Amino acid sequence: MSVAIMVVDSASGEVLARVASPDYFDERRAGQVDLTRALRSPGSALKPFIYALAIDQGLVHPMTVLKDTPQAFGAQSPENFDGEFAGPVTVQDALVRSRNVPAVAVGLQLREPGLRGLLQAGGVARLEDASHYGLALYLGGAEVTMRELAALYATLANGGLWQPLRDELDAPV
């Protein structure tokens, strides 16, 4: 299994530390491939942005009660990773427990720019039209790089102010 790690200063966008492959000189494991720039499914890592947008738009607050029950959204019926449903959950609990159905239900209520618009504004470069993803967008179906995801999370830590990542503090923005 290949692992990549990044540490970013949220205020400056500076990459403080980065391990991009397990062994740069291991050709058998493609050591020269920078895993921080590889496209990957973010899975549930996008859920905080769904809820942040919903809070900003006045749709929910942390204690709003949502349904984590079997639900159909058109022809699709998402499930949770554990195959179970928790019933009524607060937004806070739905996020902490990474529940899929509440995330989809809230994501579908978002007004523009919506999750896709936020991802695009946050520097995610290779996005398809929202119709391409359907419900999968809310469950991590848009591929992002670790660098893009790190910049998005740095934005949360920086009070909503997005900055591009920089490998050196004095690098041009």
Side-chain angles (χ1 to χ4, degrees):
M1 182 163 130
S2 297
V3 176
I5 300 169
M6 289 185 72
V7 178
V8 175
D9 180 298
S10 62
S12 69
E14 181 183 15
V15 176
L16 301 174
R18 176 176 71 151
V19 175
S21 70
D23 182 353
Y24 182 84
F25 298 103
D26 187 348
E27 291 182 23
R28 293 175 294 128
R29 296 182 70 192
Q32 290 84 28
V33 174
D34 183 348
L35 295 176
T36 68
R37 295 178 189 274
L39 288 172
R40 304 186 93 156
S41 169
S44 293
L46 296 182
K47 287 179 182 158
F49 302 101
I50 295 168
Y51 292 117
L53 275 171
I55 289 169
D56 280 353
Q57 293 180 5
L59 300 172
V60 299
H61 57 78
M63 299 312 290
T64 298
V65 176
L66 305 171
K67 293 190 305 185
D68 183 26
T69 58
Q71 294 182 52
F73 300 93
Q76 297 176 307
S77 299
E79 294 185 3
N80 294 305
F81 69 95
D82 61 2
E84 309 262 330
F85 295 95
V89 293
T90 63
V91 166
Q92 179 178 330
D93 196 37
L95 178 57
V96 168
R97 295 175 59 193
S98 190
R99 309 313 288 175
N100 289 337
V101 173
V104 169
V106 170
L108 289 172
Q109 294 178 48
L110 295 174
R111 295 184 302 273
E112 290 302 321
L115 181 60
R116 187 197 175 283
L118 178 126
L119 295 175
Q120 186 172 32
V124 176
R126 294 163 217 82
L127 289 170
E128 302 287 338
D129 290 332
S131 61
H132 170 80
Y133 301 108
L135 300 184
L137 179 63
Y138 307 114
L139 302 174
E143 292 184 318
V144 300
T145 68
M146 178 183 280
R147 292 180 66 85
E148 291 166 340
L149 195 57
L152 288 166
Y153 270 88
T155 301
L156 284 179
N158 198 25
L161 179 62
W162 179 84
Q163 295 194 58
L165 295 188
R166 297 183 288 167
D167 289 314
E168 296 177 21
L169 188 55
D170 58 357
V173 176

